[in-house]
Amino acid sequence: MFLGTFQHSIDNKGRLIIPSKFRDKIGASKLVITRGVDSNLIVYTEEGFYEYVSNLTSLKGSPQKSRNLKRFLAANADEVKLDSQGRMLISEGLRAYAGVEKEVVVTGNMESFEIWNPEAWDNQSELLGDAEEMRNELESLGIMI
């Protein structure tokens, strides 16, 4: 699992050093980086991405919605591999979408990790609320912690 929050920077070629804690989980796997729906980027291992996409076929709702979601994820995705220094190259288009330039926040999200513009992450963190709010939200879903 990918856990934690890290401050990192992107070099002038668009490369991001992946937190060492995450590199251990990635191993030799390729990565898939795609657009998130919150103006962020989501990074999966290749295996994790294919598992995630295969789950979309079992979604309830219209087949059109499922196709649109697959298109959104796949058309905006890149396969990348870590270089010998643990860096991955983020395409110019994906960097522009997420508004990431020099400084970024890398956050674990269980089966994937996310790359955020620091200001966007601060805004997202505020939306998450405090621990008491989260506990109430989870309990309303029937999840006791």
Side-chain angles (χ1 to χ4, degrees):
M1 276 201 288
F2 296 103
L3 305 171
T5 301
F6 307 89
Q7 305 289 326
H8 278 262
S9 58
I10 295 176
D11 69 15
N12 58 1
K13 294 182 180 178
R15 297 175 299 194
L16 170 68
I17 295 177
I18 302 302
S20 60
K21 194 174 175 183
F22 291 178
R23 288 194 305 261
D24 294 341
K25 292 168 182 44
I26 294 166
S29 177
K30 285 183 186 174
L31 297 173
V32 176
I33 180 171
T34 191
R35 289 181 175 188
V37 295
D38 296 310
S39 297
N40 62 326
L41 302 174
I42 303 175
V43 184
Y44 295 90
T45 62
E46 184 177 41
E47 299 81 13
F49 183 74
Y50 291 121
E51 181 180 327
Y52 178 69
V53 171
S54 70
N55 289 332
L56 297 179
T57 58
S58 64
L59 290 177
K60 293 181 180 174
S62 76
Q64 181 63 48
K65 286 182 181 180
S66 179
R67 286 192 305 271
N68 287 345
L69 182 54
K70 284 187 205 177
R71 287 178 185 134
F72 175 82
L73 293 170
N76 297 296
D78 281 334
E79 284 185 327
V80 297
K81 196 152 177 67
L82 296 184
D83 68 13
S84 62
Q85 295 178 347
R87 300 174 299 191
M88 70 175 202
L89 179 64
I90 304 172
S91 72
E92 188 175 327
L94 287 173
R95 291 193 317 266
Y97 168 79
V100 294
E101 295 173 3
K102 186 73 176 156
E103 300 302 317
V104 299
V105 177
V106 179
T107 61
N109 192 17
M110 307 297 185
E111 72 284 344
S112 61
F113 61 94
E114 299 176 337
I115 301 168
W116 292 84
N117 168 296
E119 186 177 313
W121 174 247
D122 288 343
N123 293 335
Q124 183 66 30
S125 292
E126 286 181 29
L127 292 174
L128 295 175
D130 63 20
E132 182 68 18
E133 276 182 69
M134 188 57 65
R135 183 184 62 76
N136 291 335
E137 187 69 27
L138 290 170
E139 286 179 1
S140 75
L141 296 170
I143 302 170
M144 305 305 287
I145 56 171

